[in-house]
Amino acid sequence: AAKEKGRNLLHFFDPELDAHRRQRREQLTEITRALENEEFELHFQPQVRIADRQVTGFEALIRWNHPEKGLLYPDSFLPTLENSHLEVPLGQWVLKEAIYQMNLWHEAGENLSVSINISARHLMDRSFTRYLESYLHSHPRVKPDRITLEVLESTALEDTCRARNVLARCRKLGLHIALDDFGTGFSSLTYLRTLPVDLVKIDKSFVINMLNNVSDRAIVESVIFLGQRFAHPILAEGVETMAHASALRDLGCEYIQGYGVARPMQAHKIEGWLQEWRRHTARKQSRERPAS
Ligand code: C2E
Ligand code: MG
Ligand code: MG
Ligand code: MG
Protein backbone atom coordinates (compact mmCIF):
# COMPACT_ATOMS: atom_id res chain seq x y z
CA ALA A 1 0.00 0.00 0.00
CA ALA A 2 2.86 2.30 0.90
CA LYS A 3 4.47 1.54 -2.44
CA GLU A 4 1.26 2.36 -4.24
CA LYS A 5 0.95 5.60 -2.38
CA GLY A 6 4.50 6.44 -3.35
CA ARG A 7 3.75 5.83 -6.98
CA ASN A 8 0.69 8.03 -6.82
CA LEU A 9 2.67 10.81 -5.22
CA LEU A 10 5.31 10.45 -7.88
CA HIS A 11 2.66 10.72 -10.50
CA PHE A 12 1.20 13.77 -8.86
CA PHE A 13 4.46 15.66 -8.57
CA ASP A 14 6.12 14.52 -11.79
CA PRO A 15 8.70 17.29 -12.09
CA GLU A 16 8.96 17.00 -15.85
CA LEU A 17 5.24 17.29 -16.38
CA ASP A 18 5.15 20.16 -13.95
CA ALA A 19 7.95 22.01 -15.76
CA HIS A 20 6.16 21.44 -19.03
CA ARG A 21 2.92 22.86 -17.64
CA ARG A 22 4.71 25.86 -16.19
CA GLN A 23 6.43 26.53 -19.50
CA ARG A 24 3.16 26.37 -21.33
CA ARG A 25 1.51 28.72 -18.84
CA GLU A 26 4.40 31.17 -19.19
CA GLN A 27 4.24 31.12 -22.97
CA LEU A 28 0.49 31.71 -22.87
CA THR A 29 1.01 34.74 -20.64
CA GLU A 30 3.63 35.95 -23.09
CA ILE A 31 1.27 35.47 -26.03
CA THR A 32 -1.39 37.53 -24.27
CA ARG A 33 1.15 40.31 -23.85
CA ALA A 34 2.33 39.92 -27.45
CA LEU A 35 -1.24 40.30 -28.70
CA GLU A 36 -1.61 43.52 -26.71
CA ASN A 37 1.75 44.83 -27.94
CA GLU A 38 1.00 43.88 -31.53
CA GLU A 39 4.07 41.68 -31.85
CA PHE A 40 2.44 39.35 -34.37
CA GLU A 41 2.62 39.98 -38.06
CA LEU A 42 1.50 38.26 -41.22
CA HIS A 43 3.88 37.31 -43.98
CA PHE A 44 2.59 36.45 -47.43
CA GLN A 45 3.67 33.74 -49.86
CA PRO A 46 2.62 33.79 -53.53
CA GLN A 47 0.53 31.07 -55.14
CA VAL A 48 0.97 30.66 -58.88
CA ARG A 49 -0.86 29.00 -61.78
CA ILE A 50 1.76 26.85 -63.51
CA ALA A 51 0.32 27.18 -67.03
CA ASP A 52 0.73 30.96 -67.42
CA ARG A 53 2.72 31.85 -64.26
CA GLN A 54 -0.11 34.09 -63.11
CA VAL A 55 -0.05 34.91 -59.40
CA THR A 56 -3.46 33.78 -58.19
CA GLY A 57 -3.11 34.71 -54.54
CA PHE A 58 -1.03 34.86 -51.37
CA GLU A 59 -1.12 32.70 -48.27
CA ALA A 60 -1.01 34.64 -45.01
CA LEU A 61 1.42 33.04 -42.53
CA ILE A 62 1.77 34.25 -38.98
CA ARG A 63 5.09 35.32 -37.44
CA TRP A 64 5.93 36.55 -33.96
CA ASN A 65 8.32 39.44 -33.70
CA HIS A 66 9.58 38.57 -30.26
CA PRO A 67 11.34 41.49 -28.52
CA GLU A 68 14.19 39.25 -27.26
CA LYS A 69 14.07 36.07 -29.32
CA GLY A 70 13.65 37.69 -32.73
CA LEU A 71 11.36 36.40 -35.45
CA LEU A 72 9.52 33.26 -34.34
CA TYR A 73 7.81 30.80 -36.68
CA PRO A 74 4.42 29.21 -36.00
CA ASP A 75 5.89 25.81 -35.11
CA SER A 76 7.40 27.38 -31.98
CA PHE A 77 4.18 28.84 -30.58
CA LEU A 78 1.07 27.44 -32.31
CA PRO A 79 1.33 24.07 -30.50
CA THR A 80 1.18 25.87 -27.14
CA LEU A 81 -1.81 27.83 -28.30
CA GLU A 82 -3.73 24.81 -29.46
CA ASN A 83 -6.74 24.08 -27.26
CA SER A 84 -5.96 27.06 -25.06
CA HIS A 85 -8.25 30.01 -24.40
CA LEU A 86 -6.06 32.05 -26.78
CA GLU A 87 -6.57 29.95 -29.89
CA VAL A 88 -9.72 31.79 -30.94
CA PRO A 89 -8.50 35.34 -30.11
CA LEU A 90 -5.29 34.81 -32.12
CA GLY A 91 -7.29 33.32 -34.98
CA GLN A 92 -9.50 36.37 -34.93
CA TRP A 93 -6.48 38.65 -34.98
CA VAL A 94 -5.21 36.82 -38.10
CA LEU A 95 -8.55 37.07 -39.87
CA LYS A 96 -8.92 40.75 -39.07
CA GLU A 97 -5.33 41.60 -39.99
CA ALA A 98 -5.52 39.73 -43.32
CA ILE A 99 -8.68 41.59 -44.33
CA TYR A 100 -7.17 44.88 -43.18
CA GLN A 101 -4.10 44.19 -45.33
CA MET A 102 -6.25 43.27 -48.33
CA ASN A 103 -7.97 46.63 -47.96
CA LEU A 104 -4.60 48.44 -47.95
CA TRP A 105 -3.60 46.66 -51.16
CA HIS A 106 -6.94 47.53 -52.69
CA GLU A 107 -6.33 51.20 -51.91
CA ALA A 108 -2.94 50.89 -53.62
CA GLY A 109 -4.67 49.54 -56.72
CA GLU A 110 -3.95 45.82 -56.26
CA ASN A 111 -6.99 43.64 -55.81
CA LEU A 112 -5.11 40.65 -54.40
CA SER A 113 -6.51 37.32 -53.25
CA VAL A 114 -5.47 35.99 -49.87
CA SER A 115 -5.62 32.54 -48.26
CA ILE A 116 -6.05 32.48 -44.51
CA ASN A 117 -5.29 29.49 -42.28
CA ILE A 118 -8.14 28.79 -39.90
CA SER A 119 -7.71 26.37 -37.03
CA ALA A 120 -10.51 23.87 -36.64
CA ARG A 121 -11.35 25.12 -33.19
CA HIS A 122 -11.60 28.68 -34.43
CA LEU A 123 -13.81 27.58 -37.31
CA MET A 124 -16.09 25.71 -34.90
CA ASP A 125 -16.33 28.68 -32.53
CA ARG A 126 -19.91 29.89 -32.20
CA SER A 127 -19.01 33.42 -33.19
CA PHE A 128 -16.76 32.61 -36.17
CA THR A 129 -19.06 33.74 -38.96
CA ARG A 130 -20.38 36.70 -36.98
CA TYR A 131 -16.83 38.08 -36.63
CA LEU A 132 -16.01 37.26 -40.22
CA GLU A 133 -19.07 39.17 -41.39
CA SER A 134 -18.26 42.15 -39.21
CA TYR A 135 -14.67 42.37 -40.55
CA LEU A 136 -15.99 42.21 -44.11
CA HIS A 137 -18.60 44.80 -43.24
CA SER A 138 -15.95 47.27 -42.04
CA HIS A 139 -13.93 46.76 -45.26
CA PRO A 140 -16.62 46.80 -47.97
CA ARG A 141 -14.04 47.08 -50.75
CA VAL A 142 -12.58 43.70 -49.86
CA LYS A 143 -14.57 41.26 -51.95
CA PRO A 144 -15.27 37.98 -50.12
CA ASP A 145 -14.53 35.99 -53.28
CA ARG A 146 -10.90 37.12 -52.94
CA ILE A 147 -10.61 35.18 -49.68
CA THR A 148 -9.85 31.49 -49.29
CA LEU A 149 -10.06 29.79 -45.91
CA GLU A 150 -7.49 27.00 -45.51
CA VAL A 151 -8.72 24.34 -43.14
CA LEU A 152 -6.73 21.40 -41.83
CA GLU A 153 -8.04 17.95 -41.28
CA SER A 154 -8.44 17.74 -37.57
CA THR A 155 -10.35 15.89 -34.94
CA ALA A 156 -12.20 19.12 -34.25
CA LEU A 157 -13.88 18.73 -37.61
CA GLU A 158 -15.23 15.33 -36.64
CA ASP A 159 -18.55 16.99 -36.09
CA THR A 160 -18.66 17.10 -39.87
CA CYS A 161 -22.27 18.18 -39.92
CA ARG A 162 -21.45 21.42 -38.10
CA ALA A 163 -18.20 21.88 -40.01
CA ARG A 164 -20.12 21.51 -43.25
CA ASN A 165 -22.68 24.07 -42.15
CA VAL A 166 -20.08 26.67 -41.18
CA LEU A 167 -18.13 26.18 -44.40
CA ALA A 168 -21.31 26.31 -46.48
CA ARG A 169 -22.21 29.57 -44.78
CA CYS A 170 -18.77 31.03 -45.59
CA ARG A 171 -19.16 29.92 -49.18
CA LYS A 172 -22.53 31.58 -49.35
CA LEU A 173 -20.77 34.80 -48.34
CA GLY A 174 -18.54 34.25 -51.37
CA LEU A 175 -15.40 32.83 -49.73
CA HIS A 176 -13.55 29.80 -51.06
CA ILE A 177 -12.50 26.77 -49.04
CA ALA A 178 -9.19 24.90 -49.34
CA LEU A 179 -8.31 21.59 -47.70
CA ASP A 180 -4.78 22.17 -46.36
CA ASP A 181 -2.03 19.56 -45.91
CA PHE A 182 -4.15 17.03 -47.74
CA GLY A 183 -3.11 13.44 -47.10
CA THR A 184 -1.47 13.91 -43.70
CA GLY A 185 -4.55 13.17 -41.59
CA PHE A 186 -6.59 10.06 -41.03
CA SER A 187 -9.80 11.39 -42.50
CA SER A 188 -8.68 12.99 -45.74
CA LEU A 189 -11.08 11.01 -47.87
CA THR A 190 -14.03 11.57 -45.57
CA TYR A 191 -13.49 15.31 -45.66
CA LEU A 192 -13.07 15.28 -49.39
CA ARG A 193 -16.43 13.58 -49.62
CA THR A 194 -18.38 15.53 -47.00
CA LEU A 195 -17.03 19.09 -46.89
CA PRO A 196 -17.66 21.78 -49.48
CA VAL A 197 -14.21 22.27 -51.00
CA ASP A 198 -12.87 24.50 -53.80
CA LEU A 199 -9.19 23.61 -53.68
CA VAL A 200 -7.04 20.75 -52.40
CA LYS A 201 -3.51 21.50 -51.17
CA ILE A 202 -1.06 18.59 -51.33
CA ASP A 203 1.12 18.63 -48.25
CA LYS A 204 4.71 19.72 -48.74
CA SER A 205 6.04 16.59 -47.04
CA PHE A 206 5.02 14.59 -50.15
CA VAL A 207 6.04 17.23 -52.68
CA ILE A 208 9.55 17.98 -51.42
CA ASN A 209 10.89 14.48 -52.21
CA MET A 210 8.62 13.57 -55.10
CA LEU A 211 11.47 13.65 -57.61
CA ASN A 212 13.56 11.00 -55.86
CA ASN A 213 11.14 9.03 -53.69
CA VAL A 214 8.78 6.65 -55.47
CA SER A 215 6.26 6.49 -52.62
CA ASP A 216 6.02 10.24 -52.30
CA ARG A 217 5.59 10.53 -56.02
CA ALA A 218 2.86 7.89 -55.94
CA ILE A 219 1.02 9.87 -53.26
CA VAL A 220 1.32 13.11 -55.21
CA GLU A 221 -0.01 11.39 -58.32
CA SER A 222 -2.90 9.84 -56.42
CA VAL A 223 -3.93 13.12 -54.80
CA ILE A 224 -3.92 14.84 -58.18
CA PHE A 225 -5.98 11.99 -59.62
CA LEU A 226 -8.42 12.19 -56.71
CA GLY A 227 -8.74 15.93 -57.06
CA GLN A 228 -9.50 15.59 -60.73
CA ARG A 229 -12.13 12.92 -60.02
CA PHE A 230 -13.80 15.31 -57.58
CA ALA A 231 -13.32 18.22 -60.00
CA HIS A 232 -11.27 20.12 -57.41
CA PRO A 233 -8.26 22.11 -58.55
CA ILE A 234 -4.98 21.08 -56.89
CA LEU A 235 -2.24 23.23 -55.41
CA ALA A 236 1.10 21.68 -54.46
CA GLU A 237 2.95 23.36 -51.56
CA GLY A 238 6.66 23.00 -50.85
CA VAL A 239 7.63 23.48 -54.49
CA GLU A 240 11.30 24.24 -54.02
CA THR A 241 12.57 24.03 -57.61
CA MET A 242 11.35 24.55 -61.15
CA ALA A 243 11.98 20.82 -61.78
CA HIS A 244 9.22 20.16 -59.23
CA ALA A 245 6.97 22.63 -60.98
CA SER A 246 7.29 21.02 -64.39
CA ALA A 247 6.88 17.48 -62.98
CA LEU A 248 3.72 18.66 -61.23
CA ARG A 249 2.42 20.32 -64.37
CA ASP A 250 2.94 17.09 -66.31
CA LEU A 251 0.94 15.22 -63.67
CA GLY A 252 -1.97 17.65 -64.07
CA CYS A 253 -1.46 19.84 -61.00
CA GLU A 254 -2.60 23.40 -61.70
CA TYR A 255 -1.18 25.56 -58.92
CA ILE A 256 2.04 25.75 -56.94
CA GLN A 257 3.43 27.49 -53.88
CA GLY A 258 6.94 27.23 -52.49
CA TYR A 259 10.44 28.59 -52.11
CA GLY A 260 10.98 27.91 -55.84
CA VAL A 261 8.58 30.78 -56.52
CA ALA A 262 9.22 32.90 -53.42
CA ARG A 263 9.56 32.64 -49.67
CA PRO A 264 6.89 34.18 -47.47
CA MET A 265 7.58 37.92 -47.20
CA GLN A 266 6.44 41.00 -45.32
CA ALA A 267 3.35 42.72 -46.68
CA HIS A 268 5.20 45.84 -47.79
CA LYS A 269 7.44 43.77 -50.05
CA ILE A 270 4.59 42.25 -52.04
CA GLU A 271 4.03 45.09 -54.51
CA GLY A 272 7.69 45.26 -55.54
CA TRP A 273 7.89 41.48 -55.80
CA LEU A 274 4.75 41.38 -57.98
CA GLN A 275 6.12 43.97 -60.38
CA GLU A 276 9.37 42.06 -60.68
CA TRP A 277 7.52 38.77 -61.24
CA ARG A 278 5.27 40.25 -63.91
CA ARG A 279 8.21 41.82 -65.72
CA HIS A 280 10.07 38.54 -65.62
CA THR A 281 7.04 36.57 -66.83
CA ALA A 282 6.35 38.96 -69.70
CA ARG A 283 9.98 38.74 -70.79
CA LYS A 284 9.93 34.97 -70.62
CA GLN A 285 6.67 34.66 -72.53
CA SER A 286 7.77 36.99 -75.31
CA ARG A 287 10.91 34.87 -75.67
CA GLU A 288 8.82 31.67 -75.81
CA ARG A 289 6.42 33.15 -78.38
CA PRO A 290 8.65 35.13 -80.69
CA ALA A 291 6.89 37.67 -82.91
CA SER A 292 6.33 36.12 -86.34
P1 C2E B 1 0.77 25.51 -43.96
O1 C2E B 1 -0.52 26.22 -43.91
O2 C2E B 1 0.78 24.18 -44.63
O3 C2E B 1 1.79 26.52 -44.65
C1 C2E B 1 2.86 26.16 -45.46
C2 C2E B 1 4.16 26.14 -44.69
O4 C2E B 1 5.18 25.68 -45.57
C3 C2E B 1 4.63 27.51 -44.22
O5 C2E B 1 5.36 27.31 -43.02
C4 C2E B 1 5.59 27.92 -45.32
O6 C2E B 1 6.54 28.90 -44.94
C5 C2E B 1 6.24 26.61 -45.64
N1 C2E B 1 6.78 26.53 -46.99
C6 C2E B 1 6.35 27.18 -48.09
N2 C2E B 1 7.06 26.86 -49.17
C7 C2E B 1 7.98 25.95 -48.75
C8 C2E B 1 9.03 25.24 -49.44
O7 C2E B 1 9.24 25.35 -50.64
N3 C2E B 1 9.79 24.39 -48.66
C9 C2E B 1 9.56 24.23 -47.33
N4 C2E B 1 10.35 23.40 -46.66
N5 C2E B 1 8.58 24.89 -46.67
C10 C2E B 1 7.81 25.74 -47.37
P2 C2E B 1 5.14 28.25 -41.73
O8 C2E B 1 4.91 29.66 -42.16
O9 C2E B 1 6.23 27.95 -40.77
O10 C2E B 1 3.77 27.71 -41.14
C11 C2E B 1 3.64 26.43 -40.64
C12 C2E B 1 2.20 26.07 -40.36
O11 C2E B 1 1.67 26.86 -39.30
C13 C2E B 1 1.27 26.34 -41.54
O12 C2E B 1 1.37 25.28 -42.48
C14 C2E B 1 -0.07 26.41 -40.84
O13 C2E B 1 -0.59 25.12 -40.60
C15 C2E B 1 0.31 27.06 -39.53
N6 C2E B 1 0.00 28.51 -39.62
C16 C2E B 1 0.76 29.51 -40.13
N7 C2E B 1 0.13 30.70 -40.01
C17 C2E B 1 -1.06 30.44 -39.43
C18 C2E B 1 -2.18 31.26 -39.05
O14 C2E B 1 -2.22 32.48 -39.24
N8 C2E B 1 -3.23 30.62 -38.44
C19 C2E B 1 -3.24 29.26 -38.23
N9 C2E B 1 -4.31 28.71 -37.63
N10 C2E B 1 -2.22 28.47 -38.58
C20 C2E B 1 -1.14 29.05 -39.19
MG1 MG C 1 -2.00 26.71 -45.18
MG1 MG D 1 -0.31 23.35 -46.04
MG1 MG E 1 1.37 22.54 -43.02
Side-chain angles (χ1 to χ4, degrees):
K3 202 174 163 195
E4 215 152 85
K5 222 176 187 173
R7 210 186 290 139
N8 277 338
L9 280 176
L10 261 181
H11 179 73
F12 240 78
F13 298 107
D14 182 343
E16 233 170 82
L17 197 71
D18 204 44
H20 181 77
R21 277 206 202 104
R22 199 174 44 237
Q23 242 172 32
R24 180 179 148 91
R25 238 190 343 261
E26 279 166 11
Q27 204 185 26
L28 285 175
T29 311
E30 249 202 308
I31 292 172
T32 307
R33 178 191 52 73
L35 266 170
E36 283 165 9
N37 293 352
E38 299 180 39
E39 289 170 18
F40 292 102
E41 65 179 43
L42 293 181
H43 286 201
F44 295 86
Q45 186 180 35
Q47 302 175 323
V48 168
R49 193 190 295 124
I50 308 177
D52 56 4
R53 301 189 187 87
Q54 278 280 329
V55 177
T56 54
F58 294 86
E59 178 173 10
L61 295 158
I62 195 168
R63 305 287 181 255
W64 180 359
N65 248 316
H66 195 282
E68 287 120 41
K69 295 176 195 156
L71 194 68
L72 299 182
Y73 288 79
D75 290 348
S76 67
F77 59 90
L78 285 189
T80 304
L81 219 77
E82 233 166 86
N83 298 322
S84 80
H85 63 289
L86 291 175
E87 184 170 342
V88 173
L90 192 82
Q92 259 150 11
W93 179 85
V94 169
L95 198 57
K96 194 174 176 178
E97 180 69 13
I99 293 173
Y100 172 80
Q101 184 55 57
M102 290 175 80
N103 189 57
L104 287 184
W105 280 325
H106 193 282
E107 282 174 354
E110 290 280 9
N111 201 0
L112 304 179
S113 297
V114 171
S115 289
I116 307 169
N117 291 287
I118 305 292
S119 81
R121 210 171 161 212
H122 184 203
L123 187 79
M124 293 296 112
D125 187 73
R126 295 277 157 203
S127 52
F128 178 77
T129 45
R130 190 157 43 83
Y131 274 99
L132 174 64
E133 282 173 70
S134 82
Y135 300 149
L136 289 170
H137 189 75
S138 16
H139 299 289
R141 276 172 301 196
V142 173
K143 296 287 167 264
D145 68 356
R146 295 272 160 179
I147 302 175
T148 296
L149 303 180
E150 296 195 1
V151 287
L152 282 172
E153 310 167 359
S154 144
T155 46
L157 293 184
E158 260 162 22
D159 183 359
T160 47
C161 182
R162 220 176 104 62
R164 196 170 49 217
N165 285 340
V166 178
L167 293 176
R169 175 111 183 253
C170 294
R171 255 178 146 200
K172 220 168 179 176
L173 292 171
L175 287 83
H176 305 284
I177 310 299
L179 267 187
D180 206 353
D181 296 1
F182 187 82
T184 56
F186 291 110
S187 321
S188 308
L189 298 180
T190 307
Y191 292 139
L192 195 61
R193 192 185 52 167
T194 50
L195 298 179
V197 168
D198 302 291
L199 178 78
V200 172
K201 295 188 78 175
I202 315 179
D203 191 63
K204 60 175 184 291
S205 63
F206 306 122
V207 175
I208 284 172
N209 295 316
M210 66 174 280
L211 298 180
N212 42 38
N213 181 303
V214 231
S215 315
D216 286 350
R217 190 191 171 88
I219 290 173
V220 170
E221 283 178 14
S222 310
V223 173
I224 293 170
F225 176 77
L226 258 177
Q228 286 169 339
R229 294 286 300 180
F230 280 82
H232 297 325
I234 308 285
L235 181 148
E237 55 174 40
V239 175
E240 299 191 340
T241 69
M242 281 307 134
H244 287 82
S246 48
L248 285 158
R249 184 199 49 212
D250 294 345
L251 292 174
C253 174
E254 268 182 90
Y255 304 96
I256 51 170
Q257 176 184 347
Y259 298 167
V261 175
R263 291 189 175 246
M265 58 193 121
Q266 287 173 304
H268 71 88
K269 299 211 170 115
I270 291 292
E271 285 187 75
W273 179 84
L274 253 180
Q275 281 172 16
E276 189 53 39
W277 178 266
R278 285 174 184 150
R279 225 179 357 253
H280 184 74
T281 300
R283 232 181 8 244
K284 222 169 167 161
Q285 282 171 348
S286 71
R287 231 184 294 134
E288 282 165 11
R289 281 188 247 109
S292 46

